[in-house]
Amino acid sequence: MVYYSEQQIRRVRVVRRCDGYYCQFLINVERQEHYEPTGQVTGIDLGLKEFYTDAQGNTVTNLRYLRKSEKRLKKAQRRLSKRFRKEKKQSNNYHKQRVKVAKLHLKVSRQRKDKAIKDALALVQSNDLVVYEALKVRNLVKNRKLAKSISDASWYQFTQWLNYFAKIYRIVCVAVPPHFTTQDCSVCTTRVQKLLSTRTHQCPNCKTVLDRDHNAAVNILKKGLNLLIVY
Ligand SMILES: [Zn+2]
């Protein structure tokens, strides 16, 4: 249990959510956690098939239960818009359904946030350096078909938490530009063109065969290390 003195409370806010009222306290406290260097560094490739793949080839998957609640939310939203068309806007049934949708929405966003926090913390606690791609979210959201999956995966939220925990644990977390991280060979830098459906990196030059995302994660780590070198 942690206690704060009255003087540390900077602001108090009452927030209304669909399942009740919440009281938020903004506390003025420098959060700092003890960190033992692990000697590990990594790059992560945020993906669709897996939530991310790191430079060591480990993967963190997207959550199935999150998908389930998202499906339920979609259904409820459809029912709501049907009601809206059929009945008068102010009907009891309409309002009941509206509250149901709002509650599901809240549930999904809380599940997403929990997952992002858990994954980001685990990554920060086991690495002295984490490198990720800066613009990937914006790049891929342009593609409409992928947009849904990307917002599902909540990459943006994840990288926000990653930076937050990196500060608290005093590890280095850097973003690098995403150009050619998927195409280039992580061993010999030969550019090997790939379709979105090409799952394996096969280098004709040095004969390296690697999972597509694993290869990208190694390139991302290398870019991060290059960025940190001071001449
Ligand atoms: Zn190669």
mmCIF file of all heavy atoms in Angstrom, residues 184-190 192 201-208, ligand 1:
data_model
loop_
_atom_site.group_PDB
_atom_site.id
_atom_site.type_symbol
_atom_site.label_atom_id
_atom_site.label_comp_id
_atom_site.label_asym_id
_atom_site.label_seq_id
_atom_site.Cartn_x
_atom_site.Cartn_y
_atom_site.Cartn_z
ATOM 1 N N ASP A 184 15.374 -5.212 -46.246
ATOM 2 C CA ASP A 184 16.820 -5.446 -46.198
ATOM 3 C C ASP A 184 17.195 -6.706 -45.423
ATOM 4 O O ASP A 184 16.546 -7.060 -44.439
ATOM 5 C CB ASP A 184 17.519 -4.236 -45.565
ATOM 6 C CG ASP A 184 17.506 -3.037 -46.495
ATOM 7 O OD1 ASP A 184 16.992 -3.177 -47.639
ATOM 8 O OD2 ASP A 184 17.972 -1.960 -46.086
ATOM 9 N N CYS A 185 18.254 -7.355 -45.894
ATOM 10 C CA CYS A 185 18.769 -8.531 -45.191
ATOM 11 C C CYS A 185 19.501 -8.059 -43.934
ATOM 12 O O CYS A 185 20.359 -7.185 -43.993
ATOM 13 C CB CYS A 185 19.720 -9.323 -46.094
ATOM 14 S SG CYS A 185 20.451 -10.741 -45.248
ATOM 15 N N SER A 186 19.154 -8.651 -42.799
ATOM 16 C CA SER A 186 19.734 -8.194 -41.537
ATOM 17 C C SER A 186 21.174 -8.688 -41.360
ATOM 18 O O SER A 186 21.871 -8.270 -40.449
ATOM 19 C CB SER A 186 18.868 -8.662 -40.365
ATOM 20 O OG SER A 186 18.761 -10.070 -40.368
ATOM 21 N N VAL A 187 21.613 -9.571 -42.250
ATOM 22 C CA VAL A 187 22.989 -10.079 -42.161
ATOM 23 C C VAL A 187 23.910 -9.327 -43.121
ATOM 24 O O VAL A 187 24.956 -8.818 -42.727
ATOM 25 C CB VAL A 187 23.034 -11.603 -42.436
ATOM 26 C CG1 VAL A 187 24.467 -12.112 -42.407
ATOM 27 C CG2 VAL A 187 22.174 -12.351 -41.420
ATOM 28 N N CYS A 188 23.506 -9.209 -44.397
ATOM 29 C CA CYS A 188 24.428 -8.630 -45.395
ATOM 30 C C CYS A 188 23.895 -7.350 -46.030
ATOM 31 O O CYS A 188 24.519 -6.810 -46.942
ATOM 32 C CB CYS A 188 24.740 -9.660 -46.479
ATOM 33 S SG CYS A 188 23.361 -9.951 -47.595
ATOM 34 N N THR A 189 22.732 -6.872 -45.586
ATOM 35 C CA THR A 189 22.075 -5.631 -46.050
ATOM 36 C C THR A 189 21.583 -5.645 -47.504
ATOM 37 O O THR A 189 21.152 -4.615 -48.018
ATOM 38 C CB THR A 189 22.967 -4.358 -45.863
ATOM 39 O OG1 THR A 189 24.055 -4.412 -46.794
ATOM 40 C CG2 THR A 189 23.497 -4.239 -44.444
ATOM 41 N N THR A 190 21.644 -6.778 -48.184
ATOM 42 C CA THR A 190 21.066 -6.858 -49.536
ATOM 43 C C THR A 190 19.569 -6.578 -49.466
ATOM 44 O O THR A 190 18.889 -7.075 -48.572
ATOM 45 C CB THR A 190 21.284 -8.281 -50.130
ATOM 46 O OG1 THR A 190 22.674 -8.541 -50.185
ATOM 47 C CG2 THR A 190 20.667 -8.398 -51.518
ATOM 48 N N VAL A 192 16.001 -7.229 -50.373
ATOM 49 C CA VAL A 192 15.223 -8.338 -50.925
ATOM 50 C C VAL A 192 13.748 -7.934 -50.903
ATOM 51 O O VAL A 192 13.123 -7.883 -49.835
ATOM 52 C CB VAL A 192 15.427 -9.640 -50.094
ATOM 53 C CG1 VAL A 192 14.773 -10.822 -50.791
ATOM 54 C CG2 VAL A 192 16.898 -9.903 -49.834
ATOM 55 N N HIS A 201 12.003 -14.284 -44.986
ATOM 56 C CA HIS A 201 13.079 -13.560 -45.658
ATOM 57 C C HIS A 201 14.099 -14.578 -46.138
ATOM 58 O O HIS A 201 14.642 -15.349 -45.344
ATOM 59 C CB HIS A 201 13.716 -12.567 -44.674
ATOM 60 C CG HIS A 201 15.037 -12.055 -45.127
ATOM 61 N ND1 HIS A 201 15.156 -11.108 -46.112
ATOM 62 C CD2 HIS A 201 16.305 -12.368 -44.748
ATOM 63 C CE1 HIS A 201 16.445 -10.851 -46.315
ATOM 64 N NE2 HIS A 201 17.157 -11.601 -45.500
ATOM 65 N N GLN A 202 14.330 -14.596 -47.464
ATOM 66 C CA GLN A 202 15.320 -15.508 -48.024
ATOM 67 C C GLN A 202 16.306 -14.689 -48.824
ATOM 68 O O GLN A 202 15.943 -14.127 -49.859
ATOM 69 C CB GLN A 202 14.634 -16.539 -48.936
ATOM 70 C CG GLN A 202 13.866 -17.599 -48.147
ATOM 71 C CD GLN A 202 13.091 -18.522 -49.044
ATOM 72 O OE1 GLN A 202 12.167 -18.071 -49.714
ATOM 73 N NE2 GLN A 202 13.447 -19.798 -49.045
ATOM 74 N N CYS A 203 17.525 -14.618 -48.343
ATOM 75 C CA CYS A 203 18.512 -13.756 -49.001
ATOM 76 C C CYS A 203 19.265 -14.535 -50.083
ATOM 77 O O CYS A 203 19.907 -15.544 -49.801
ATOM 78 C CB CYS A 203 19.494 -13.201 -47.969
ATOM 79 S SG CYS A 203 20.726 -12.138 -48.736
ATOM 80 N N PRO A 204 19.194 -14.054 -51.331
ATOM 81 C CA PRO A 204 19.892 -14.736 -52.427
ATOM 82 C C PRO A 204 21.409 -14.541 -52.334
ATOM 83 O O PRO A 204 22.166 -15.316 -52.899
ATOM 84 C CB PRO A 204 19.336 -14.058 -53.686
ATOM 85 C CG PRO A 204 18.858 -12.718 -53.233
ATOM 86 C CD PRO A 204 18.459 -12.859 -51.793
ATOM 87 N N ASN A 205 21.823 -13.521 -51.594
ATOM 88 C CA ASN A 205 23.259 -13.216 -51.506
ATOM 89 C C ASN A 205 23.973 -14.053 -50.446
ATOM 90 O O ASN A 205 24.907 -14.785 -50.746
ATOM 91 C CB ASN A 205 23.437 -11.714 -51.226
ATOM 92 C CG ASN A 205 24.893 -11.314 -51.213
ATOM 93 O OD1 ASN A 205 25.667 -11.745 -52.080
ATOM 94 N ND2 ASN A 205 25.273 -10.539 -50.223
ATOM 95 N N CYS A 206 23.498 -13.962 -49.185
ATOM 96 C CA CYS A 206 24.217 -14.673 -48.108
ATOM 97 C C CYS A 206 23.475 -15.924 -47.651
ATOM 98 O O CYS A 206 23.885 -16.582 -46.702
ATOM 99 C CB CYS A 206 24.465 -13.739 -46.933
ATOM 100 S SG CYS A 206 22.981 -13.339 -45.991
ATOM 101 N N LYS A 207 22.358 -16.212 -48.318
ATOM 102 C CA LYS A 207 21.560 -17.437 -48.060
ATOM 103 C C LYS A 207 20.894 -17.466 -46.673
ATOM 104 O O LYS A 207 20.524 -18.538 -46.191
ATOM 105 C CB LYS A 207 22.418 -18.720 -48.225
ATOM 106 C CG LYS A 207 23.243 -18.786 -49.501
ATOM 107 C CD LYS A 207 22.370 -18.896 -50.733
ATOM 108 C CE LYS A 207 23.217 -18.851 -52.016
ATOM 109 N NZ LYS A 207 22.500 -18.306 -53.163
ATOM 110 N N THR A 208 20.771 -16.325 -46.059
ATOM 111 C CA THR A 208 20.076 -16.280 -44.767
ATOM 112 C C THR A 208 18.592 -16.560 -44.961
ATOM 113 O O THR A 208 17.974 -16.012 -45.879
ATOM 114 C CB THR A 208 20.247 -14.887 -44.114
ATOM 115 O OG1 THR A 208 21.619 -14.703 -43.782
ATOM 116 C CG2 THR A 208 19.406 -14.751 -42.845
HETATM 117 ZN ZN ZN B 1 21.904 -11.505 -46.880
#
